[in-house]
Amino acid sequence: MKGEERRAFLLRSLQEAHGPLTGSDLASMSGVSRQVIVQDIALLRGQGVDITATRSGYALPSSFDGGEVRLVKVRHAPEQAEEEMLAVVDLGGALLDVAVNHRAYGKLTATLDVRSRRDVARFMEDIRSGKSSPLCAVTSGYHFHHIAAYGPDASCVLDEIEKVLGEKGFLAEMLPYEVGQI
């Protein structure tokens, strides 16, 4: 497969995927090395294609579509992150991202794409290994998530997630000025 043909194939693969694809998966599918995929992704981005690199692989914003998304504000201690994430995925939700409003740096956002207990376990392993700390550690525990649910009962699933987060004491009041900032 030549470069242009391969990049068209990569783009089609990302468009048809129902979530992120790893560089290794894309390399295997197209018969090249992962490094070639990294270069191809950079070239596609240079052409204006909005490709997101997540912990689970590469994705197009459209691969997160098809569900209902809701913004929630939460607060908890860093050691409660796993409990919060499990509450969301166990009810059928997906944590798409995490964001904080930092007084000095402004809005900081990171893609999570946490959809399962396995994703939670991977995230927590990275935190426990000391490689990183939760973003909420810089804002006294306050942070935001875009949470998605899929299917005909998506709205009910999101309602249940908010209810459980509230019962656990994690849900925080969204201030009027925050709604448009995140």
Short mmCIF file of all heavy atoms in Angstrom, two decimals, residues 62-122:
data_model
loop_
_atom_site.label_atom_id
_atom_site.label_comp_id
_atom_site.label_asym_id
_atom_site.label_seq_id
_atom_site.Cartn_x
_atom_site.Cartn_y
_atom_site.Cartn_z
N SER A 62 -16.01 11.73 15.88
CA SER A 62 -17.25 11.05 15.52
C SER A 62 -17.34 9.65 16.12
O SER A 62 -18.42 9.10 16.25
CB SER A 62 -17.39 10.98 14.00
OG SER A 62 -16.32 10.24 13.45
N SER A 63 -16.20 9.04 16.49
CA SER A 63 -16.26 7.69 17.07
C SER A 63 -16.86 7.72 18.46
O SER A 63 -17.18 6.69 19.03
CB SER A 63 -14.88 7.03 17.09
OG SER A 63 -14.02 7.70 17.98
N PHE A 64 -17.01 8.92 19.05
CA PHE A 64 -17.66 9.05 20.35
C PHE A 64 -19.13 9.40 20.17
O PHE A 64 -19.86 9.54 21.14
CB PHE A 64 -16.98 10.13 21.19
CG PHE A 64 -15.52 9.87 21.44
CD1 PHE A 64 -14.55 10.74 21.00
CD2 PHE A 64 -15.11 8.73 22.11
CE1 PHE A 64 -13.21 10.50 21.24
CE2 PHE A 64 -13.78 8.47 22.34
CZ PHE A 64 -12.84 9.36 21.91
N ASP A 65 -19.57 9.60 18.91
CA ASP A 65 -20.95 10.00 18.64
C ASP A 65 -21.90 8.82 18.81
O ASP A 65 -21.48 7.69 18.99
CB ASP A 65 -21.08 10.55 17.22
CG ASP A 65 -20.39 11.89 17.07
OD1 ASP A 65 -20.03 12.50 18.09
OD2 ASP A 65 -20.20 12.32 15.93
N GLY A 66 -23.16 9.12 18.65
CA GLY A 66 -24.17 8.09 18.73
C GLY A 66 -24.75 7.94 20.12
O GLY A 66 -25.64 7.14 20.34
N GLY A 67 -24.27 8.69 21.03
CA GLY A 67 -24.79 8.63 22.39
C GLY A 67 -25.18 10.01 22.86
O GLY A 67 -25.01 10.99 22.17
N GLU A 68 -25.72 10.03 24.04
CA GLU A 68 -26.05 11.30 24.68
C GLU A 68 -24.91 11.65 25.63
O GLU A 68 -24.39 10.78 26.31
CB GLU A 68 -27.37 11.16 25.45
CG GLU A 68 -27.84 12.46 26.03
CD GLU A 68 -29.21 12.35 26.68
OE1 GLU A 68 -30.01 11.53 26.24
OE2 GLU A 68 -29.45 13.11 27.63
N VAL A 69 -24.52 12.91 25.64
CA VAL A 69 -23.40 13.35 26.46
C VAL A 69 -23.89 14.41 27.44
O VAL A 69 -24.67 15.29 27.08
CB VAL A 69 -22.25 13.93 25.58
CG1 VAL A 69 -21.12 14.45 26.45
CG2 VAL A 69 -21.76 12.88 24.60
N ARG A 70 -23.40 14.30 28.66
CA ARG A 70 -23.77 15.25 29.70
C ARG A 70 -22.52 15.69 30.44
O ARG A 70 -21.63 14.87 30.70
CB ARG A 70 -24.75 14.58 30.67
CG ARG A 70 -25.43 15.55 31.60
CD ARG A 70 -26.50 14.87 32.43
NE ARG A 70 -27.61 14.40 31.58
CZ ARG A 70 -28.60 13.66 32.04
NH1 ARG A 70 -28.65 13.29 33.31
NH2 ARG A 70 -29.57 13.26 31.23
N LEU A 71 -22.45 16.96 30.79
CA LEU A 71 -21.35 17.50 31.57
C LEU A 71 -21.72 17.46 33.05
O LEU A 71 -22.80 17.91 33.43
CB LEU A 71 -21.06 18.95 31.15
CG LEU A 71 -19.94 19.67 31.91
CD1 LEU A 71 -18.59 19.03 31.64
CD2 LEU A 71 -19.92 21.15 31.53
N VAL A 72 -20.82 16.91 33.87
CA VAL A 72 -21.04 16.90 35.32
C VAL A 72 -19.82 17.50 36.01
O VAL A 72 -18.71 17.40 35.52
CB VAL A 72 -21.31 15.48 35.87
CG1 VAL A 72 -22.59 14.89 35.32
CG2 VAL A 72 -20.14 14.55 35.62
N LYS A 73 -20.09 18.13 37.13
CA LYS A 73 -19.02 18.65 37.98
C LYS A 73 -18.99 17.78 39.22
O LYS A 73 -20.03 17.51 39.83
CB LYS A 73 -19.29 20.11 38.35
CG LYS A 73 -18.21 20.72 39.23
CD LYS A 73 -18.56 22.17 39.57
CE LYS A 73 -17.53 22.80 40.48
NZ LYS A 73 -17.91 24.19 40.84
N VAL A 74 -17.81 17.34 39.58
CA VAL A 74 -17.66 16.47 40.75
C VAL A 74 -16.51 16.95 41.62
O VAL A 74 -15.66 17.74 41.18
CB VAL A 74 -17.42 15.00 40.32
CG1 VAL A 74 -18.66 14.40 39.69
CG2 VAL A 74 -16.25 14.88 39.37
N ARG A 75 -16.51 16.45 42.84
CA ARG A 75 -15.40 16.73 43.75
C ARG A 75 -15.19 15.52 44.63
O ARG A 75 -16.13 14.98 45.21
CB ARG A 75 -15.69 17.93 44.63
CG ARG A 75 -14.50 18.24 45.55
CD ARG A 75 -14.76 19.40 46.46
NE ARG A 75 -13.54 19.78 47.12
CZ ARG A 75 -13.48 20.30 48.32
NH1 ARG A 75 -14.59 20.53 49.00
NH2 ARG A 75 -12.33 20.62 48.86
N HIS A 76 -13.94 15.11 44.71
CA HIS A 76 -13.56 14.01 45.60
C HIS A 76 -12.05 14.02 45.77
O HIS A 76 -11.33 14.69 45.03
CB HIS A 76 -14.05 12.65 45.07
CG HIS A 76 -13.55 12.31 43.70
ND1 HIS A 76 -12.26 11.95 43.44
CD2 HIS A 76 -14.19 12.30 42.51
CE1 HIS A 76 -12.11 11.72 42.15
NE2 HIS A 76 -13.28 11.94 41.56
N ALA A 77 -11.59 13.26 46.72
CA ALA A 77 -10.15 13.12 46.94
C ALA A 77 -9.56 12.25 45.84
O ALA A 77 -10.26 11.39 45.26
CB ALA A 77 -9.91 12.47 48.30
N PRO A 78 -8.29 12.44 45.51
CA PRO A 78 -7.67 11.63 44.46
C PRO A 78 -7.82 10.12 44.69
O PRO A 78 -8.00 9.37 43.73
CB PRO A 78 -6.20 12.05 44.50
CG PRO A 78 -6.24 13.47 44.98
CD PRO A 78 -7.37 13.49 46.00
N GLU A 79 -7.78 9.69 45.93
CA GLU A 79 -7.90 8.25 46.20
C GLU A 79 -9.32 7.71 45.96
O GLU A 79 -9.55 6.52 46.01
CB GLU A 79 -7.43 7.91 47.62
CG GLU A 79 -8.16 8.61 48.73
CD GLU A 79 -7.52 9.95 49.12
OE1 GLU A 79 -6.61 10.44 48.41
OE2 GLU A 79 -7.95 10.50 50.14
N GLN A 80 -10.27 8.59 45.66
CA GLN A 80 -11.64 8.17 45.37
C GLN A 80 -11.92 8.13 43.85
O GLN A 80 -13.04 7.84 43.44
CB GLN A 80 -12.64 9.10 46.04
CG GLN A 80 -12.60 9.01 47.56
CD GLN A 80 -13.48 10.06 48.21
OE1 GLN A 80 -13.28 11.25 48.00
NE2 GLN A 80 -14.46 9.59 48.99
N ALA A 81 -10.91 8.39 43.05
CA ALA A 81 -11.09 8.41 41.59
C ALA A 81 -11.61 7.08 41.07
O ALA A 81 -12.51 7.04 40.22
CB ALA A 81 -9.79 8.79 40.89
N GLU A 82 -11.07 5.99 41.57
CA GLU A 82 -11.50 4.68 41.09
C GLU A 82 -12.97 4.44 41.42
O GLU A 82 -13.73 3.96 40.56
CB GLU A 82 -10.64 3.58 41.71
CG GLU A 82 -10.97 2.20 41.19
CD GLU A 82 -9.96 1.16 41.67
OE1 GLU A 82 -9.26 1.39 42.68
OE2 GLU A 82 -9.89 0.11 41.01
N GLU A 83 -13.39 4.79 42.62
CA GLU A 83 -14.79 4.62 43.01
C GLU A 83 -15.71 5.43 42.09
O GLU A 83 -16.76 4.95 41.65
CB GLU A 83 -14.99 5.05 44.47
CG GLU A 83 -16.39 4.87 44.97
CD GLU A 83 -16.57 5.32 46.42
OE1 GLU A 83 -15.59 5.75 47.05
OE2 GLU A 83 -17.72 5.26 46.90
N GLU A 84 -15.31 6.66 41.79
CA GLU A 84 -16.10 7.51 40.90
C GLU A 84 -16.21 6.89 39.50
O GLU A 84 -17.29 6.79 38.93
CB GLU A 84 -15.46 8.90 40.81
CG GLU A 84 -16.11 9.79 39.78
CD GLU A 84 -15.17 10.81 39.18
OE1 GLU A 84 -13.95 10.56 39.10
OE2 GLU A 84 -15.66 11.87 38.78
N MET A 85 -15.07 6.48 38.95
CA MET A 85 -15.05 5.94 37.60
C MET A 85 -15.84 4.63 37.50
O MET A 85 -16.58 4.41 36.53
CB MET A 85 -13.61 5.73 37.14
CG MET A 85 -12.84 7.05 37.03
SD MET A 85 -11.08 6.81 36.79
CE MET A 85 -11.03 6.80 35.02
N LEU A 86 -15.71 3.78 38.50
CA LEU A 86 -16.47 2.52 38.49
C LEU A 86 -17.97 2.77 38.58
O LEU A 86 -18.76 2.06 37.95
CB LEU A 86 -16.00 1.61 39.63
CG LEU A 86 -14.62 0.98 39.46
CD1 LEU A 86 -14.21 0.24 40.72
CD2 LEU A 86 -14.58 0.07 38.24
N ALA A 87 -18.36 3.78 39.34
CA ALA A 87 -19.78 4.11 39.43
C ALA A 87 -20.33 4.46 38.05
O ALA A 87 -21.44 4.06 37.70
CB ALA A 87 -20.01 5.28 40.40
N VAL A 88 -19.56 5.15 37.25
CA VAL A 88 -20.01 5.55 35.91
C VAL A 88 -20.06 4.35 34.97
O VAL A 88 -21.08 4.08 34.34
CB VAL A 88 -19.12 6.67 35.33
CG1 VAL A 88 -19.47 6.95 33.87
CG2 VAL A 88 -19.24 7.94 36.17
N VAL A 89 -18.97 3.59 34.87
CA VAL A 89 -18.93 2.50 33.89
C VAL A 89 -19.84 1.35 34.30
O VAL A 89 -20.41 0.67 33.42
CB VAL A 89 -17.49 2.00 33.60
CG1 VAL A 89 -16.65 3.13 33.03
CG2 VAL A 89 -16.84 1.38 34.81
N ASP A 90 -20.00 1.11 35.59
CA ASP A 90 -20.88 0.02 36.03
C ASP A 90 -22.34 0.29 35.70
O ASP A 90 -23.14 -0.64 35.59
CB ASP A 90 -20.73 -0.24 37.53
CG ASP A 90 -19.44 -0.98 37.87
OD1 ASP A 90 -18.75 -1.44 36.94
OD2 ASP A 90 -19.11 -1.07 39.06
N LEU A 91 -22.69 1.54 35.53
CA LEU A 91 -24.07 1.89 35.15
C LEU A 91 -24.23 2.02 33.63
O LEU A 91 -25.29 2.38 33.14
CB LEU A 91 -24.49 3.19 35.84
CG LEU A 91 -24.69 3.05 37.35
CD1 LEU A 91 -24.82 4.42 38.00
CD2 LEU A 91 -25.91 2.20 37.65
N GLY A 92 -23.16 1.75 32.89
CA GLY A 92 -23.24 1.78 31.43
C GLY A 92 -22.79 3.08 30.80
O GLY A 92 -23.01 3.30 29.61
N GLY A 93 -22.14 3.93 31.56
CA GLY A 93 -21.65 5.19 31.03
C GLY A 93 -20.20 5.13 30.61
O GLY A 93 -19.51 4.14 30.87
N ALA A 94 -19.76 6.17 29.95
CA ALA A 94 -18.37 6.30 29.53
C ALA A 94 -17.87 7.68 29.93
O ALA A 94 -18.56 8.68 29.72
CB ALA A 94 -18.25 6.14 28.02
N LEU A 95 -16.71 7.75 30.55
CA LEU A 95 -16.07 9.02 30.88
C LEU A 95 -15.24 9.43 29.67
O LEU A 95 -14.21 8.81 29.39
CB LEU A 95 -15.19 8.88 32.11
CG LEU A 95 -15.95 8.59 33.39
CD1 LEU A 95 -15.47 7.32 34.04
CD2 LEU A 95 -15.82 9.76 34.33
N LEU A 96 -15.69 10.44 28.95
CA LEU A 96 -14.99 10.84 27.74
C LEU A 96 -13.75 11.67 28.03
O LEU A 96 -12.74 11.55 27.35
CB LEU A 96 -15.93 11.62 26.82
CG LEU A 96 -17.19 10.89 26.36
CD1 LEU A 96 -18.01 11.77 25.44
CD2 LEU A 96 -16.84 9.56 25.71
N ASP A 97 -13.84 12.54 29.05
CA ASP A 97 -12.72 13.41 29.36
C ASP A 97 -12.76 13.85 30.81
O ASP A 97 -13.68 13.52 31.55
CB ASP A 97 -12.70 14.64 28.43
CG ASP A 97 -13.96 15.49 28.54
OD1 ASP A 97 -14.73 15.35 29.51
OD2 ASP A 97 -14.17 16.33 27.65
N VAL A 98 -11.74 14.57 31.20
CA VAL A 98 -11.69 15.22 32.51
C VAL A 98 -11.15 16.63 32.26
O VAL A 98 -10.27 16.83 31.42
CB VAL A 98 -10.81 14.45 33.52
CG1 VAL A 98 -9.38 14.31 33.03
CG2 VAL A 98 -10.84 15.12 34.90
N ALA A 99 -11.72 17.60 32.97
CA ALA A 99 -11.28 18.99 32.82
C ALA A 99 -11.27 19.68 34.17
O ALA A 99 -12.05 19.32 35.06
CB ALA A 99 -12.21 19.74 31.86
N VAL A 100 -10.38 20.63 34.31
CA VAL A 100 -10.34 21.47 35.51
C VAL A 100 -10.19 22.92 35.08
O VAL A 100 -9.69 23.21 34.00
CB VAL A 100 -9.18 21.09 36.48
CG1 VAL A 100 -9.35 19.69 37.03
CG2 VAL A 100 -7.82 21.26 35.82
N ASN A 101 -10.65 23.81 35.95
CA ASN A 101 -10.40 25.24 35.77
C ASN A 101 -9.31 25.61 36.77
O ASN A 101 -9.57 25.73 37.96
CB ASN A 101 -11.67 26.06 36.06
CG ASN A 101 -12.60 26.11 34.88
OD1 ASN A 101 -12.17 26.04 33.75
ND2 ASN A 101 -13.88 26.21 35.16
N HIS A 102 -8.10 25.74 36.28
CA HIS A 102 -6.96 26.08 37.13
C HIS A 102 -6.82 27.59 37.18
O HIS A 102 -6.90 28.25 36.14
CB HIS A 102 -5.70 25.43 36.56
CG HIS A 102 -4.54 25.47 37.46
ND1 HIS A 102 -3.72 26.56 37.56
CD2 HIS A 102 -4.05 24.54 38.32
CE1 HIS A 102 -2.76 26.31 38.44
NE2 HIS A 102 -2.94 25.09 38.92
N ARG A 103 -6.60 28.13 38.34
CA ARG A 103 -6.53 29.59 38.48
C ARG A 103 -5.38 30.21 37.69
O ARG A 103 -5.50 31.31 37.17
CB ARG A 103 -6.45 29.98 39.95
CG ARG A 103 -7.72 29.65 40.70
CD ARG A 103 -7.75 30.35 42.05
NE ARG A 103 -8.83 29.88 42.87
CZ ARG A 103 -10.07 30.37 42.85
NH1 ARG A 103 -10.35 31.34 42.02
NH2 ARG A 103 -11.00 29.88 43.63
N ALA A 104 -4.26 29.52 37.58
CA ALA A 104 -3.13 30.08 36.85
C ALA A 104 -3.10 29.65 35.38
O ALA A 104 -2.81 30.45 34.50
CB ALA A 104 -1.82 29.67 37.52
N TYR A 105 -3.40 28.39 35.11
CA TYR A 105 -3.27 27.86 33.75
C TYR A 105 -4.56 27.93 32.94
O TYR A 105 -4.54 27.68 31.74
CB TYR A 105 -2.80 26.41 33.79
CG TYR A 105 -1.43 26.24 34.39
CD1 TYR A 105 -1.25 25.53 35.56
CD2 TYR A 105 -0.31 26.80 33.78
CE1 TYR A 105 0.00 25.36 36.12
CE2 TYR A 105 0.95 26.65 34.33
CZ TYR A 105 1.10 25.92 35.50
OH TYR A 105 2.34 25.77 36.04
N GLY A 106 -5.67 28.19 33.59
CA GLY A 106 -6.95 28.21 32.87
C GLY A 106 -7.52 26.81 32.74
O GLY A 106 -7.26 25.93 33.57
N LYS A 107 -8.26 26.58 31.69
CA LYS A 107 -8.92 25.29 31.46
C LYS A 107 -7.90 24.26 30.99
O LYS A 107 -7.18 24.47 30.02
CB LYS A 107 -10.02 25.45 30.43
CG LYS A 107 -10.70 24.17 30.05
CD LYS A 107 -11.69 24.40 28.92
CE LYS A 107 -12.02 23.11 28.23
NZ LYS A 107 -12.82 23.33 27.04
N LEU A 108 -7.84 23.14 31.68
CA LEU A 108 -7.00 22.01 31.30
C LEU A 108 -7.92 20.82 31.06
O LEU A 108 -8.73 20.48 31.93
CB LEU A 108 -6.01 21.67 32.41
CG LEU A 108 -5.06 22.78 32.85
CD1 LEU A 108 -4.26 22.34 34.07
CD2 LEU A 108 -4.13 23.15 31.72
N THR A 109 -7.79 20.19 29.92
CA THR A 109 -8.65 19.06 29.57
C THR A 109 -7.80 17.90 29.08
O THR A 109 -6.81 18.10 28.37
CB THR A 109 -9.64 19.45 28.46
OG1 THR A 109 -10.40 20.58 28.88
CG2 THR A 109 -10.60 18.30 28.14
N ALA A 110 -8.19 16.69 29.46
CA ALA A 110 -7.53 15.48 28.98
C ALA A 110 -8.58 14.47 28.55
O ALA A 110 -9.59 14.29 29.22
CB ALA A 110 -6.66 14.89 30.08
N THR A 111 -8.34 13.83 27.42
CA THR A 111 -9.22 12.78 26.95
C THR A 111 -9.01 11.54 27.80
O THR A 111 -7.88 11.14 28.05
CB THR A 111 -8.93 12.44 25.47
OG1 THR A 111 -9.08 13.62 24.70
CG2 THR A 111 -9.84 11.35 24.96
N LEU A 112 -10.10 10.93 28.27
CA LEU A 112 -10.02 9.70 29.05
C LEU A 112 -10.47 8.49 28.24
O LEU A 112 -9.81 7.48 28.18
CB LEU A 112 -10.89 9.78 30.30
CG LEU A 112 -10.44 10.73 31.41
CD1 LEU A 112 -11.45 10.73 32.54
CD2 LEU A 112 -9.07 10.33 31.92
N ASP A 113 -11.67 8.57 27.66
CA ASP A 113 -12.29 7.45 26.96
C ASP A 113 -12.28 6.19 27.82
O ASP A 113 -11.82 5.14 27.41
CB ASP A 113 -11.63 7.21 25.60
CG ASP A 113 -12.46 6.26 24.74
OD1 ASP A 113 -13.70 6.30 24.85
OD2 ASP A 113 -11.86 5.47 24.00
N VAL A 114 -12.80 6.32 29.03
CA VAL A 114 -12.91 5.18 29.96
C VAL A 114 -14.32 4.64 29.85
O VAL A 114 -15.29 5.33 30.20
CB VAL A 114 -12.57 5.62 31.40
CG1 VAL A 114 -12.88 4.52 32.40
CG2 VAL A 114 -11.11 6.04 31.50
N ARG A 115 -14.44 3.39 29.36
CA ARG A 115 -15.75 2.81 29.08
C ARG A 115 -16.02 1.51 29.82
O ARG A 115 -17.12 0.98 29.75
CB ARG A 115 -15.88 2.55 27.58
CG ARG A 115 -15.78 3.80 26.73
CD ARG A 115 -15.69 3.46 25.25
NE ARG A 115 -15.52 4.67 24.47
CZ ARG A 115 -16.45 5.17 23.68
NH1 ARG A 115 -17.59 4.57 23.54
NH2 ARG A 115 -16.22 6.27 23.01
N SER A 116 -15.01 0.96 30.49
CA SER A 116 -15.17 -0.35 31.12
C SER A 116 -14.32 -0.45 32.38
O SER A 116 -13.45 0.40 32.62
CB SER A 116 -14.74 -1.45 30.14
OG SER A 116 -13.34 -1.35 29.91
N ARG A 117 -14.55 -1.51 33.14
CA ARG A 117 -13.72 -1.76 34.32
C ARG A 117 -12.25 -1.95 33.92
O ARG A 117 -11.36 -1.56 34.65
CB ARG A 117 -14.23 -2.99 35.09
CG ARG A 117 -15.46 -2.69 35.91
CD ARG A 117 -15.91 -3.90 36.73
NE ARG A 117 -16.72 -3.41 37.83
CZ ARG A 117 -16.29 -3.24 39.07
NH1 ARG A 117 -15.06 -3.55 39.39
NH2 ARG A 117 -17.09 -2.77 40.00
N ARG A 118 -12.03 -2.55 32.77
CA ARG A 118 -10.65 -2.74 32.29
C ARG A 118 -9.98 -1.39 32.06
O ARG A 118 -8.83 -1.18 32.44
CB ARG A 118 -10.64 -3.56 31.00
CG ARG A 118 -9.23 -3.73 30.44
CD ARG A 118 -9.22 -4.53 29.17
NE ARG A 118 -9.51 -5.91 29.52
CZ ARG A 118 -10.08 -6.77 28.69
NH1 ARG A 118 -10.43 -6.40 27.48
NH2 ARG A 118 -10.31 -8.00 29.07
N ASP A 119 -10.71 -0.44 31.46
CA ASP A 119 -10.16 0.90 31.24
C ASP A 119 -9.87 1.58 32.58
O ASP A 119 -8.85 2.25 32.73
CB ASP A 119 -11.14 1.76 30.43
CG ASP A 119 -11.30 1.32 28.99
OD1 ASP A 119 -10.45 0.56 28.47
OD2 ASP A 119 -12.32 1.71 28.38
N VAL A 120 -10.76 1.41 33.56
CA VAL A 120 -10.54 1.99 34.89
C VAL A 120 -9.28 1.39 35.50
O VAL A 120 -8.43 2.11 36.04
CB VAL A 120 -11.76 1.76 35.82
CG1 VAL A 120 -11.44 2.20 37.25
CG2 VAL A 120 -12.99 2.49 35.30
N ALA A 121 -9.13 0.08 35.40
CA ALA A 121 -7.95 -0.60 35.97
C ALA A 121 -6.66 -0.08 35.33
O ALA A 121 -5.67 0.16 36.04
CB ALA A 121 -8.08 -2.10 35.79
N ARG A 122 -6.66 0.10 34.01
CA ARG A 122 -5.46 0.63 33.33
C ARG A 122 -5.13 2.04 33.81
O ARG A 122 -3.97 2.37 34.08
CB ARG A 122 -5.68 0.64 31.82
CG ARG A 122 -5.57 -0.70 31.18
CD ARG A 122 -5.61 -0.56 29.65
NE ARG A 122 -5.94 -1.83 29.08
CZ ARG A 122 -6.89 -2.04 28.19
NH1 ARG A 122 -7.61 -1.04 27.74
NH2 ARG A 122 -7.13 -3.24 27.72
#
